Amino acid sequence: MRILRELVRVVQSDACIELDTNRTSVPWRLIGATVTVLAGEDGIVVSHGGAEAARHEARRGRRERAIRPEHLDGIVGAGGRTARTDAALTAELLRPLAEYERLLGGAWRWLTTSCPTRSSACWSG
């Protein structure tokens, strides 16, 4: 491939870089990273840290998108994917409040009549 231009781009939140109004995907793990883009007659090569991250054919039009589905695998919502639900994690996060109160040694009591300033005197423990 004959290199015409070497550019630096930042990977956007949709795992794409922009080149001449066209959007080109790169692996999702590079979101926010600065990458080097080599644009040639036949296509573009995107590299990060000296290693090739993506290669796409040249786009001749404007506002076109070159997207590889495998580049989006880690993005929730891409391709109709939903967030992974892990039953053990969900159970861990849905503990009863009484368990937290037991671990902390009591509960907050906001009694405006006996504690109008809501000071530490309202803590029961």
Side-chain angles (χ1 to χ4, degrees):
M1 177 170 93
R2 188 171 147 229
I3 304 299
L4 299 177
R5 295 182 290 167
E6 181 175 345
L7 308 156
V8 175
R9 295 288 187 261
V10 174
V11 180
Q12 301 301 310
S13 61
D14 61 352
C16 290
I17 54 125
E18 186 171 330
L19 179 64
D20 300 330
T21 74
N22 295 324
R23 311 242 345 130
T24 303
S25 69
V26 298
W28 69 272
R29 287 183 176 88
L30 294 176
I31 291 174
T34 300
V35 295
T36 302
V37 180
L38 301 175
E41 295 171 338
D42 301 330
I44 68 165
V45 175
V46 181
S47 59
H48 180 259
E52 183 178 309
R55 181 181 290 263
H56 291 273
E57 291 181 10
R59 296 284 172 185
R60 304 290 180 222
R62 293 286 198 207
R63 302 197 194 311
E64 293 182 9
R65 295 175 59 87
I67 307 295
R68 295 226 168 110
E70 64 271 16
H71 288 166
L72 309 179
D73 280 345
I75 300 175
V76 173
R81 286 184 293 280
T82 58
R84 188 181 76 198
T85 56
D86 185 349
L89 178 61
T90 303
E92 181 78 16
L93 294 175
L94 295 178
R95 293 180 184 170
L97 291 178
E99 188 173 336
Y100 290 104
E101 291 173 356
R102 181 183 56 79
L103 291 169
L104 295 174
W108 282 100
R109 303 206 186 225
W110 299 108
L111 304 174
T112 55
T113 55
S114 63
C115 190
T117 62
R118 295 185 174 180
S119 67
S120 61
C122 297
W123 177 261
S124 67

